[in-house]
């Protein structure tokens, strides 16, 4: 081995703490960067990537099982333009009841109708499902649910008391279909078992086409398939383009904050690498002097020290790629839920590019102090390692020593001034961490406030729908649940009024009318009764009060260009009714193209609400037991054939995914910031170990040592926290409206202004906590370093 | 006179090599100035470290000023070093970023001595040791002899009953060394117990009232030189 090689090997081997710190720093930086870059890349057209990976169906078609055979359906796979097909799979639409479960769902509650497909396995040439949890349903009584908004978890049961024998299904897995081909899957045999006597399951066929980029192409493809089966046998077809549109909107909502976190993570990693590597090489100046005195040329010295930095950095980079990919599993799983797409993975090029960039950064960062040391005269290089540091920070140390502070505290507080560049970098890392926490906390608070606002669309403790599903009658199309004729609202209102415990209620019903100046028809939600207690969360203006007033979501105002105070004209069959917009409500349904008004506003239009759309929202008197009220009301409603249900408040899967992802990313930034502080303090403590030995020899106790080391970063942490919080707040206040814009709405100001004092104070102290937690391990090490050893250290 | 240091059957072994101290017994009385001589590796520094509580014996007992030093935990050792001993090192071990006065103040500040009292004591010591004019100077600006005087002042700040000095003239020119020798003699004359580890026989002869010589971890010679 050459002399240079020996020097490098000895340098790496002997300076173990420094080697470990460099390895740890690079590992942490690469881990964070792989995650951040992975997130940034997956946020670009996530639906398209996932759809391609899952070979999603361009068209999901359902056929009437009583009009076409499975063989005829299978033959459509050969229609011109079809490049791949899967199926036919038997399919039923059934309405399950809540069975025994650990998810807190009320036993026996009715659930909405569910499309259940019989599939022997999750794979195939089209719609290659991702099994996200558990296993595939292969046996009797087993079901796999779509993991998007699945009401149940593994082991929970769904009952079908309306079917002969009252079968029950146990959830054994959760799967994701990017093309949303079904809500549940069972084995084909189980689907047969779930089919009512005399009923015939429908056939589901999934297609991919050569040309499927536009609605027109999909329409042509559909026509070609329709022509290949008996007329009237195709009962429905869903294009992936609609799902893509919805998914793109959902993912667009996520992209701003994912990018924010990603960029923060990358910047922090680079900062920390810079401070640790330059510190580590700078600390070796005296050894460089010794090498030069032995005859090493400056170029050899530089090569030796860059190599010495690169060896642990390479080990760290490899470990970082591994840990980044491991950590990406839960993080990208949340991103996957957030984007509403299938499996996301870190792109292979990221695993190559990130370590390459980080190692290049290490090399460049090491090169600067190594060049400086290489150019030093030998005597100077030897002296730099041994003699006092430059006089930086002495004045501050002197002044702090005069303050009435315990000496370990004043010594600690003065430490950052001795190395201002390093302290500034640590402060920046902590500040970025604080920005991340502030942003993450604000995001979670805002999202929860927005979710609460959205939940106000269905106020009240109990809700009653005016229609009911019934099991399919023999010989009818089982894919279409039979809807019993809607019950007259007046009859329901009478039952509710008569019910003890009813405090107040109102009903809503939907109709579609024209709006002057707008093409097509627009949904109007008409309120009957006093709805002031159950108004939507308002973005601006006020809830409507009586006839002629309306409230609309942001999307409506944006599309029509209308403003609060404007009057719009509703039209129906040549009749018209003007309504004045008095408020802007938070509502994302139908892209905000909804009008909320009192039903009296529609009288002139003679546009009755759809009977089956009528819902009652009921508020209970204080002290009323909701369960007992529900039982009693259901007993009263039984003759009408409808049931009431508790209004448990919906928790959006998107909001849950956003919250979880934000929490994970905030933790990642915290970990990066904390490790950055730790690495820097380890380096600092090692450099000052001799001083520590002197102080301990003079009687500094372990507790005083810990106090001094922690205080050395506490001031920086507090300052960084104080700087990071306003930036985090500003970032939040900028990103939230961008997210809202992507979702097609404005958010109420109250949902954005979430940083009140009880939130801000802990956030400001967050920087201090990050610094203190990061400094604690090296502080403990400093406290327990043997004084005699420390005193011998130069 | 009572023994301020009592070392009984102390053995110290590092790894597999021969013991650094091998069943050492030693008593030092209050007011003595003991010089510990011996070649490199004889156990001088190990003995000093045991007494200063910087290291623990593998066997035996180390009692200083009535305190079993070898049984103390880290926090108690810190208190012991603050209150019972003062240390002077060959290379001074002053903190470069603190002024001479701030260096001297450190032991009192770590012990929580009220500020005014600490400052008065520091001023008194700086004056007594002839370095009052350098109170605001940083160590880098002082000569070796002046730095060692600052170090001595720092060691005496909390009025320790025992002053430990490790090669206090080892890094000084001859004039400064003579200066420090005189200082130690003066201190001892005023009742300060001193334990001095040195290679310098001249220093031992001039400053110590008693000299012991260590060889392979044992006392090979114990001579009472002067009675003050």
């Amino acid at each position: 081995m050459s002399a240079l090689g020996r020097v490098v090997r000895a340098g790496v081997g002997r300076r173990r703490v420094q080697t470990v710190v460099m390895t740890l720093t690079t590992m942490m930086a690469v881990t964070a960067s792989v995650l951040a870059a992975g997130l940034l890349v997956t946020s670009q057209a996530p639906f398209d990537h996932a759809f391609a990976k899952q070979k999603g169906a361009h068209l999901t078609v359902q056929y009437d099982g009583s009009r076409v055979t499975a063989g005829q359906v299978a033959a459509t796979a050969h229609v011109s333009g079809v490049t791949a097909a899967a199926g036919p799979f038997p399919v039923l639409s059934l309405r399950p009841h809540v069975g025994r479960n650990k998810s807190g769902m009320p036993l026996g509650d009715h659930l909405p109708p569910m499309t259940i497909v019989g599939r022997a396995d999750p794979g195939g040439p089209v719609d290659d499902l991702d099994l996200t949890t558990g296993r595939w349903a292969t046996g009797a009584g087993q079901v796999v649910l779509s993991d998007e908004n699945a009401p149940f978890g593994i082991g929970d049961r769904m009952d079908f008391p309306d079917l002969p024998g009252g079968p029950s299904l146990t959830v054994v897995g959760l799967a994701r279909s990017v093309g949303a081909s079904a809500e549940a899957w069972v084995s084909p045999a189980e689907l047969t078992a779930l089919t009512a006597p005399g009923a015939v399951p429908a056939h589901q066929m999934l297609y991919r086409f050569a040309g499927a980029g536009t609605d027109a192409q999909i329409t042509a493809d559909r026509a070609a398939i329709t022509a290949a089966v008996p007329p009237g046998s195709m009962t429905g077809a869903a294009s992936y383009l609609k799902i893509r549109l919805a998914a793109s909107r959902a993912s667009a909502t996520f992209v701003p904050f994912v990018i924010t976190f990603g960029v923060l993570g990358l910047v922090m990693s680079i900062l920390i690498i810079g401070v640790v590597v330059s510190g580590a090489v700078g600390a070796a100046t005296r050894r460089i002097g010794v090498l030069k005195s032995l005859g090493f040329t400056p170029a050899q010295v530089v090569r030796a020290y860059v190599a010495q930095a690169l060896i642990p950095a390479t080990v760290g980079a490899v470990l970082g790629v591994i840990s980044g990919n491991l950590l990406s599993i839960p993080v990208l799983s949340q991103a996957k839920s957030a984007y509403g797409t299938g499996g996301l993975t870190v792109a292979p090029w990221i695993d190559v590019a990130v370590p390459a960039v980080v190692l290049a950064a290490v090399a460049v960062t090491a090169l600067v102090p190594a060049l400086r040391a290489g150019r030093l005269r030998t005597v100077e290089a030897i002296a730099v390692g041994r003699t006092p540091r430059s006089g930086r920070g002495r004045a501050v140390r002197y002044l702090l020593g005069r303050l009435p502070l315990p000496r370990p505290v004043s010594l600690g507080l003065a430490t950052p001034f001795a190395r201002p560049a390093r302290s500034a970098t640590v402060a920046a890392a902590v500040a970025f961490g604080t920005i991340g926490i502030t942003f993450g906390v604000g995001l979670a608070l805002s999202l929860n406030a927005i979710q609460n606002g959205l939940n106000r669309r269905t106020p009240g403790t109990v809700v009653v729908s005016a229609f009911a599903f019934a099991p399919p009658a023999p010989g009818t199309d089982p894919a279409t649940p039979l809807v019993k004729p809607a019950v007259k609202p007046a009859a329901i209102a009478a039952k509710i009024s008569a019910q003890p415990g009813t405090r107040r209620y109102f009903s809503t019903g939907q109709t579609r009318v024209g709006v002057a100046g707008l093409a097509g028809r627009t949904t109007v939600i008409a309120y009957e009764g006093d709805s002031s207690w159950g108004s939507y969360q308002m973005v601006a203006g006020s809830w409507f009060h009586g006839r002629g007033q309306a409230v609309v979501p942001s999307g409506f105002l944006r599309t029509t260009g209308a403003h609060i105070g404007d009057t719009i004209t509703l039209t129906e069959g040549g009749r018209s009714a003007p309504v004045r917009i008095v408020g802007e409500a938070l509502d994302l349904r139908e892209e905000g193209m909804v009008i909320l008004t009192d039903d009296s506003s529609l009288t002139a239009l003679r546009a009755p609400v759809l009977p089956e759309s009528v819902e009652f929202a009921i508020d209970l008197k204080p002290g009323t037991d909701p369960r007992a009220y529900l039982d009693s009301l259901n007993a009263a409603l039984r003759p009408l054939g409808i049931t009431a249900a508790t209004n448990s408040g919906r928790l959006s899967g998107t909001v849950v995914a956003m919250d979880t992802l934000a929490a994970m990313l905030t933790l990642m930034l915290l970990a990066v910031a904390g490790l950055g502080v730790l690495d820097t303090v380890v380096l600092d403590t090692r450099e000052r170990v001799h001083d520590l030995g002197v102080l301990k020899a003079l009687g500094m106790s372990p507790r005083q040592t810990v106090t001094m080391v922690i205080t050395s970063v506490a001031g920086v942490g507090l300052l960084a926290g104080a700087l990071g919080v306003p930036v985090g707040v500003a970032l939040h206040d900028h990103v939230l409206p961008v997210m809202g814009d992507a979702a097609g709405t404005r958010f109420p100001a109250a949902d954005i202004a979430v940083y009140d004092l009880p939130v801000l104070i802990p956030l400001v102290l967050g920087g201090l906590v990050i610094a203190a937690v990061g400094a604690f391990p090296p502080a403990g090490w400093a406290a327990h370093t043997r004084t005699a050893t420390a005193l011998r250290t130069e | 006179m009572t023994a301020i240091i009592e070392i009984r059957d102390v053995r110290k072994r590092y790894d597999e090599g021969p013991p650094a101290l091998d069943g050492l017994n030693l008593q030092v009385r209050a007011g003595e100035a003991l010089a510990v001589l011996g070649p490199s590796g004889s156990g001088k520094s190990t003995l000093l470290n045991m007494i200063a509580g910087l290291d623990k014996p593998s066997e035996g007992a180390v009692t200083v000023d009535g305190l079993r030093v070898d049984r103390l935990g880290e926090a108690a050792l810190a208190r012991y070093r603050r209150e019972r001993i003062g240390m002077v090192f060959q290379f001074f071990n002053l903190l470069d970023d603190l002024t001479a006065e701030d260096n001297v103040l450190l032991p009192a500040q770590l012990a929580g001595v009220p500020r005014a009292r600490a400052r008065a004591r520091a001023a008194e010591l700086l004056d007594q040791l002839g370095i009052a004019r350098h109170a605001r100077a940083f160590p880098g600006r002082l000569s070796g002899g002046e730095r060692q005087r600052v170090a001595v002042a720092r060691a005496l700040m909390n009025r320790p009953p025992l002053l430990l000095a490790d090669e206090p003239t080892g890094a000084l020119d001859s004039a400064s060394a003579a200066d420090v020798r005189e200082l130690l003699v003066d201190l001892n004359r005023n009742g300060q117990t001193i334990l001095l580890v040195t290679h310098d026989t001249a220093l031992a002869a001039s400053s110590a009232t008693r000299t012991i010589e260590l060889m392979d971890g044992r006392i090979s010679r114990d001579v009472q030189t002067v009675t003050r």
Side-chain angles (χ1 to χ4, degrees):
Chain A
M1 185 183 280
S2 69
L4 193 66
R6 281 180 204 282
V7 165
V8 171
R9 197 178 67 174
V12 172
R14 271 195 65 245
R15 304 177 79 89
R16 278 190 212 129
V17 172
Q18 191 175 296
T19 302
V20 168
V21 166
M22 296 264 281
T23 308
L24 196 66
T25 302
T26 321
M27 177 181 156
M28 175 267 297
V30 171
T31 302
S33 303
V34 163
L35 265 177
L39 276 168
L40 292 179
V41 169
T42 52
S43 63
Q44 306 302 311
F47 180 87
D48 291 346
H49 288 122
F51 191 76
K53 185 169 172 282
Q54 214 178 70
K55 294 171 278 185
H58 291 138
L59 196 66
T60 301
V61 179
Q62 199 153 305
Y63 298 95
D64 184 341
S66 61
R67 294 188 181 181
V68 64
T69 65
Q72 286 173 299
V73 173
T76 58
H78 306 295
V79 168
S80 168
V82 175
T83 54
F89 304 117
V91 56
L92 287 173
S93 178
L94 297 175
R95 192 169 189 204
H97 291 225
V98 176
R100 206 176 59 231
N101 69 90
K102 292 176 190 162
S103 306
M105 305 266 291
L107 195 67
D109 259 21
H110 296 234
L111 291 170
M114 190 177 266
T115 304
I116 304 175
V117 170
R119 265 175 82 159
D121 66 84
V126 181
D127 197 32
D128 187 3
L129 302 175
D130 283 338
L131 197 58
T132 52
T133 316
R135 59 186 172 80
W136 191 247
T138 50
Q142 297 177 355
V143 65
V144 169
L145 296 182
S146 164
D147 79 348
E148 195 175 8
N149 300 329
F152 295 110
I154 303 286
D156 292 347
R157 293 175 66 160
M158 302 189 305
D159 298 333
F160 298 89
D162 302 330
L163 290 175
S168 186
L169 295 177
T170 303
V171 180
V172 296
L174 297 177
R176 179 167 288 257
S177 164
V178 180
S181 62
E183 288 157 293
W185 295 269
V186 294
S187 68
E190 181 59 40
L191 196 100
T192 307
L194 290 170
T195 308
V200 181
H203 301 298
Q204 183 190 67
M205 195 73 185
L206 310 167
Y207 302 95
R208 284 180 70 82
F209 302 108
T214 63
D215 279 328
Q217 284 176 313
I218 292 282
T219 304
D221 292 330
R222 179 181 169 167
I225 290 170
T226 308
V229 291
S233 59
M234 185 189 284
T235 53
S239 161
Y240 82 106
L241 289 173
K242 280 191 176 172
I243 298 166
R244 183 184 184 219
L245 187 71
S248 300
R249 170 144 285 184
S251 64
T253 316
F254 277 77
V255 167
F257 89 81
V258 168
I259 286 178
T260 305
F261 276 115
V263 170
L264 283 174
L266 285 172
V267 172
M268 283 171 72
S269 301
I270 289 166
L271 276 174
I272 291 163
I273 283 253
V275 71
V276 169
V277 173
S278 64
V281 177
T285 305
R286 183 170 174 267
R287 194 162 177 266
I288 289 171
V290 172
L291 292 177
K292 289 182 74 178
S293 72
L294 294 175
F296 279 77
T297 65
Q300 281 177 313
V301 166
V302 169
R303 281 211 301 279
Y305 274 84
V306 172
Q308 239 166 269
L310 278 176
I311 289 172
T314 306
V315 175
V318 171
L319 293 174
V321 168
I322 295 168
S323 65
N325 278 271
L326 286 177
L327 272 178
S328 76
I329 295 170
V331 172
L332 290 183
S333 162
Q334 283 308 319
K336 175 181 76 177
S337 306
Y339 293 150
T341 61
L344 298 176
T345 51
V346 172
W349 67 264
I350 292 176
D351 287 341
V352 177
V354 166
V357 169
V358 168
L359 289 177
V362 168
V364 170
T365 317
L367 196 63
V368 176
L371 276 174
R372 200 166 49 220
R375 279 202 301 267
L376 274 179
R377 287 195 301 124
T378 306
V379 173
E380 283 173 346
I382 293 175
V384 165
R386 186 183 267 172
T387 53
R389 291 171 291 279
S390 68
R392 278 185 302 220
R394 281 181 177 170
V396 177
R397 199 176 282 270
Y398 181 80
L399 290 172
L400 282 169
R402 264 107 202 111
L403 293 178
L405 292 169
R407 198 56 173 131
V409 172
S410 61
L411 284 173
L413 286 176
T415 303
F417 297 94
R419 290 194 174 276
R422 181 182 295 179
S423 305
T425 318
V426 172
V430 175
F432 278 112
T434 313
I435 292 170
I437 311 174
T438 306
F439 178 65
V441 167
L443 189 66
L445 290 172
S446 288
L447 289 175
N448 290 340
I450 291 162
Q451 178 65 61
N452 288 338
L454 292 173
N455 280 345
R456 284 168 61 175
R457 285 191 314 226
T458 50
T461 314
V462 174
V463 291
V464 181
S465 288
F467 75 100
F469 283 100
T476 59
D477 175 7
T480 310
L482 182 69
V483 178
K484 284 183 179 177
V487 180
K488 288 201 181 314
I492 302 170
K495 296 287 185 190
I496 295 170
S497 295
Q499 194 62 30
T502 301
R503 183 184 179 196
R504 53 195 174 181
Y505 66 92
F506 62 84
S507 69
T508 58
Q510 295 185 21
T511 185
R512 289 177 69 79
V513 301
V515 177
L518 273 183
R521 301 172 80 76
T522 302
T523 298
V524 176
I525 299 178
Y527 285 72
E528 185 174 353
D530 174 18
S531 61
S532 59
W533 60 271
S535 63
Y536 281 36
Q537 188 180 14
M538 303 305 295
V539 176
S542 60
W543 190 242
F544 61 80
H545 296 286
R547 183 174 184 162
Q549 292 190 350
V551 164
V552 293
S554 311
F556 186 94
L557 294 178
R558 184 186 299 183
T559 305
T560 59
H563 299 93
I564 293 174
D566 290 353
T567 296
I568 54 173
T569 304
L570 309 183
T571 60
E572 174 63 26
R575 294 173 291 275
S576 63
V579 289
R580 192 166 62 85
I581 299 172
V582 296
E584 178 183 355
L586 178 67
D587 190 9
L588 301 174
R589 282 175 302 181
E590 299 189 33
E591 305 194 346
M593 290 305 289
V594 174
I595 299 165
L596 313 166
T597 186
D598 193 89
D599 71 337
S600 59
S601 302
L602 305 178
T603 308
L605 296 179
R606 281 182 249 151
V609 297
L610 298 169
E612 61 271 23
S613 71
V614 173
E615 278 188 3
F616 285 80
I618 307 167
D619 189 25
L620 304 186
K621 287 177 182 166
T624 305
D625 174 22
R627 193 74 232 175
Y629 179 89
L630 193 67
D631 291 343
S632 171
L633 181 60
N634 272 331
L637 293 173
R638 196 165 296 126
L640 303 179
I642 57 172
T643 53
T646 49
N647 181 16
S648 52
R650 290 165 201 155
L651 194 57
S652 156
T654 307
V655 169
V656 171
M658 278 187 176
D659 276 350
T660 314
L661 189 58
M664 279 180 164
L665 295 173
T666 306
L667 281 177
M668 180 192 86
L669 290 186
L670 274 178
V672 172
L675 278 171
V677 173
L678 183 141
D679 290 349
T680 313
V681 176
V682 165
L683 212 65
D684 230 32
T685 311
R686 292 290 296 182
E687 283 176 24
R688 302 178 64 85
V689 69
H690 184 258
D691 285 0
L692 279 171
V694 173
L695 288 166
K696 291 176 83 172
L698 295 178
M700 182 174 268
S701 69
R703 184 176 294 183
Q704 287 174 320
T705 311
V706 169
T707 303
M708 183 179 70
V709 175
I710 289 184
T711 318
S712 72
V713 288
V716 168
L718 196 60
L719 184 70
L723 290 173
V725 168
V727 178
V729 171
L731 200 61
H732 168 272
D733 291 355
H734 173 74
V735 170
L736 255 286
V738 175
M739 288 170 68
D741 202 44
T745 186
R746 291 201 305 151
F747 291 135
D751 293 353
I752 295 177
V754 289
Y755 295 103
D756 48 19
L757 211 56
V759 176
L760 282 175
I761 290 172
L763 286 174
V764 169
L765 294 176
L768 179 66
V769 173
I770 294 172
V773 169
F776 196 76
W781 173 84
H784 293 100
T785 302
R786 289 183 59 231
T787 311
T789 313
L791 281 171
R792 279 199 297 272
T793 311
E794 281 186 350
Chain B
M1 265 194 190
T2 53
I4 192 164
I5 301 174
E6 183 146 11
I7 292 175
R8 288 234 176 274
D9 302 323
V10 164
R11 192 178 297 273
K12 179 67 183 180
R13 187 181 283 277
Y14 297 107
D15 302 324
E16 294 304 309
L21 293 177
D22 191 8
L24 192 89
N25 286 289
L26 175 68
Q27 272 200 344
V28 179
R29 291 185 302 277
E32 271 191 313
L34 174 71
V36 182
L37 293 169
S40 291
S42 61
K44 300 189 303 290
S45 294
T46 305
L47 174 64
L48 188 82
N49 285 349
M50 299 289 157
I51 295 167
L54 302 178
D55 208 346
K56 285 186 190 288
S58 309
E59 290 171 34
V62 178
T63 307
V64 177
D65 201 22
L67 210 61
R68 273 293 293 270
V69 180
D70 56 294
R71 288 183 180 168
L72 298 178
E74 278 299 314
L77 274 173
R79 202 162 49 244
Y80 160 74
R81 287 197 282 264
R82 267 185 229 149
E83 294 168 0
R84 313 275 175 116
I85 62 168
M87 291 187 77
V88 178
F89 305 90
Q90 179 178 0
F91 292 108
F92 329 121
N93 281 341
L94 298 174
L95 298 186
D96 303 317
D97 295 336
L98 300 183
T99 61
E101 184 191 23
D102 283 345
N103 266 290
V104 173
L105 279 167
L106 264 176
Q109 290 170 326
L110 292 174
V113 174
R115 294 167 63 81
R117 217 170 80 198
R119 289 202 173 282
R121 170 70 176 156
E124 175 193 332
L125 280 168
L126 290 168
D127 189 45
Q128 193 181 323
L129 296 176
I131 43 173
R133 66 184 187 284
H134 298 305
R136 295 212 169 172
F138 287 96
R141 297 216 164 249
L142 303 179
S143 70
E146 287 164 341
R147 283 190 224 179
Q148 198 59 296
R149 281 178 174 268
V150 174
V152 171
R154 183 179 67 181
L156 297 175
M157 184 67 193
N158 287 343
R159 301 177 199 276
L162 175 64
L163 178 68
L164 302 173
D166 186 5
E167 301 282 9
T169 57
L172 301 178
D173 57 58
S174 54
S176 298
D179 198 28
V180 169
R181 270 201 297 273
E182 271 177 41
L183 174 61
L184 293 175
V185 170
D186 281 350
L187 288 170
N188 182 242
R189 276 204 188 106
N190 291 326
Q192 179 68 53
T193 309
I194 299 174
L195 189 145
L196 179 70
V197 167
T198 184
H199 280 102
D200 183 351
T201 48
L203 173 67
S206 60
S207 311
T209 58
R210 178 184 165 199
T211 302
I212 61 168
E213 196 167 328
L214 291 187
M215 185 66 72
D216 299 330
R218 293 165 184 242
I219 297 174
S220 61
R221 207 160 65 96
D222 187 341
V223 183
Q224 191 76 36
T225 50
V226 183
T227 308
R228 288 195 182 107

